[in-house]
Amino acid sequence: MWKMWFCIVILLLIAGVFAEVKRELHTFCITRYKVLSPKWNGEKSGKIIFLSDLHNHEYGLHNKKLIDKIRMENPELILIGGDILVGKEDISYESAAKFVEAICKIAPVYYANGNHEQRMKEKPEKYGDAFVKYKKRLLDAGVCFLENESAEVELDGNKLSLTGLELRIEVYEKMKTHKVTKGDIAQKVGSAKQEEIQILLAHNPEYMEAYQAWGADITLSGHLHGGLICLPNGKSVITPQFHLFPKHAGEMKVKGNQTAIVSRGLGTHTVNIRLFNPAELIVFQISKQ
C-alpha cells in the first residue's frame, strides 16, 4: 500500500512542477529596486524601466499586458538590455518590433544589443538584412541604439551617461568562459564618465567584475534568464549556457557605490523552462538616499 501512495505523491509532485513551469512561462512580475548614488542631486528620484530577453514573447495580444504595465509605471526612461527578438533564420522579428515601437510612445527608449541582435548584425551571410531592417524600423520610431556608443541624458537635473557595450561574439559561447578586462571594455567604448552617473548596458553578466573595474556606477545585464531553474529561495541553479549556480543571474548587488542589476528576463527560447524563476519587468529609481 505504501508503494502506491508513494507513486501517487511523486506523480502529484511532477504534475505540480509542470503546472508551475507553465504558469511562469505565461506571467511576469514587477521587480522594484532603489539605487543609491552619491552623484545624484536633489530630493526627487528618477524612475527607469529596464527590459531584457523578451525573445518575441507576448503577454496578451501584441503584448498589451506588458505595455499597459509599463505605461502605468510612468517611467522617465526605458532601457533595453538586448535579446528582444530571437536571432534565428526562420523566426520573424515582427512581434519584437511592434512591442518596441509601442513603448517608444511612453518614454525615450535606449537599446543595447544582446547576443541575438549582435549575431544577426555580424553575420548577414546567414541572416541577410534582417537586423538592418529591424534597426531602421526602430530608429524611425525614435529608438536610440547604443552599439559600443554612449548617449548623455538629463534626468531631474542629473546627468546620466548611457553606454551600450558589445563585446566580441565569442564571449557568448556555451560552456566556455572567456577573459574580459576593463581594458577590453575601454577599447570598445572609451573611458567611463567620472562626473556623471555612468550606466553600462552589458548583456552578459559573467564579466561583471570587469564592468565595475571599468567604472560603471550602475551595470544592467540579462542573458541568463535568471538561471532557468531556481531553488525556492531564488538561488539560480543552471543557466541556458549550462553553467551551474551562476554568480550573477537575477538580482541587485551593491559593492561600495557601484550597483549591478541582472534581469531574469521576460521570455525564453530553445529551452522553454522557468521554475521558481518568474519573468520580470524591472523598475528602478535612483536617489541620493
Side-chain angles (χ1 to χ4, degrees):
M1 181 65 72
W2 69 267
K3 290 183 180 179
M4 181 187 72
W5 283 109
F6 178 78
C7 290
I8 291 172
V9 170
I10 294 299
L11 288 172
L12 288 173
L13 286 173
I14 292 172
V17 167
F18 275 102
E20 178 60 18
V21 168
K22 184 177 180 180
R23 185 190 70 81
E24 291 187 29
L25 287 174
H26 293 87
T27 59
F28 67 92
C29 67
I30 297 178
T31 302
R32 302 181 188 278
Y33 295 121
K34 186 174 183 180
V35 178
L36 303 181
S37 172
K39 295 181 181 179
W40 185 266
N41 296 309
E43 295 182 1
K44 186 179 179 182
S45 58
K47 182 185 281 190
I48 300 173
I49 278 181
F50 175 49
L51 306 164
S52 188
D53 299 275
L54 182 62
H55 289 298
N56 284 342
H57 198 80
E58 291 192 3
Y59 295 96
L61 183 63
H62 304 312
N63 260 315
K64 185 178 185 303
K65 292 180 181 179
L66 180 57
I67 294 166
D68 285 348
K69 288 294 184 183
I70 293 171
R71 185 179 291 109
M72 287 172 63
E73 290 296 324
N74 194 27
E76 294 166 87
L77 281 177
I78 299 174
L79 304 182
I80 293 178
D83 284 6
I84 299 303
L85 45 65
V86 175
K88 291 186 177 180
E89 297 171 88
D90 57 344
I91 297 181
S92 170
Y93 59 72
E94 184 66 20
S95 172
K98 283 184 176 179
F99 168 71
V100 180
E101 286 172 333
I103 63 175
C104 282
K105 299 173 183 177
I106 299 173
V109 176
Y110 292 81
Y111 193 134
N113 290 333
N115 55 302
H116 282 247
E117 291 95 347
Q118 187 176 348
R119 72 190 184 205
M120 290 172 67
K121 179 177 70 172
E122 294 183 2
K123 297 181 179 180
E125 69 279 3
K126 183 175 182 180
Y127 301 103
D129 60 354
F131 180 77
V132 173
K133 290 180 177 178
Y134 174 74
K135 180 179 177 181
K136 182 182 184 306
R137 183 166 165 179
L138 297 188
L139 286 172
D140 290 344
V143 174
C144 178
F145 275 81
L146 300 174
E147 299 169 277
N148 283 333
E149 296 170 308
S150 297
E152 292 188 3
V153 301
E154 189 168 300
L155 202 63
D156 300 319
N158 292 270
K159 290 185 177 180
L160 277 62
S161 178
L162 309 177
T163 301
L165 174 66
E166 282 188 14
L167 295 169
R168 60 191 186 279
I169 199 68
E170 289 78 14
V171 303
Y172 294 106
E173 291 178 324
K174 287 182 170 59
M175 294 184 285
K176 290 185 180 180
T177 300
H178 294 261
K179 183 178 180 180
V180 174
T181 68
K182 65 178 182 179
D184 295 327
I185 300 168
Q187 189 175 32
K188 293 284 188 180
V189 299
S191 301
K193 297 290 186 181
Q194 300 298 316
E195 301 302 320
E196 302 172 8
I197 297 175
Q198 176 67 69
I199 298 179
L200 180 67
L201 291 158
H203 190 64
N204 192 340
E206 293 193 44
Y207 309 102
M208 190 63 69
E209 288 72 18
Y211 306 151
Q212 294 186 331
W214 171 75
D217 296 309
I218 302 170
T219 304
L220 304 175
S221 299
H223 186 52
L224 301 184
H225 301 178
L228 296 181
I229 297 172
C230 296
L231 299 175
N233 65 1
K235 176 67 176 175
S236 300
V237 176
I238 188 169
T239 73
Q241 292 71 36
F242 308 112
H243 293 173
L244 292 172
F245 301 107
K247 186 175 181 180
H248 303 280
E251 70 288 300
M252 184 178 87
K253 292 183 178 179
V254 178
K255 180 181 178 182
N257 290 324
Q258 294 178 301
T259 300
I261 296 175
V262 182
S263 171
R264 296 184 183 276
L266 282 158
T268 62
H269 70 95
T270 309
V271 184
N272 294 308
I273 295 175
R274 282 189 179 274
L275 182 61
F276 305 129
N277 177 34
E280 64 179 358
L281 169 68
I282 291 178
V283 180
F284 70 96
Q285 292 181 273
I286 309 174
S287 63
K288 190 84 171 179
Q289 58 181 10

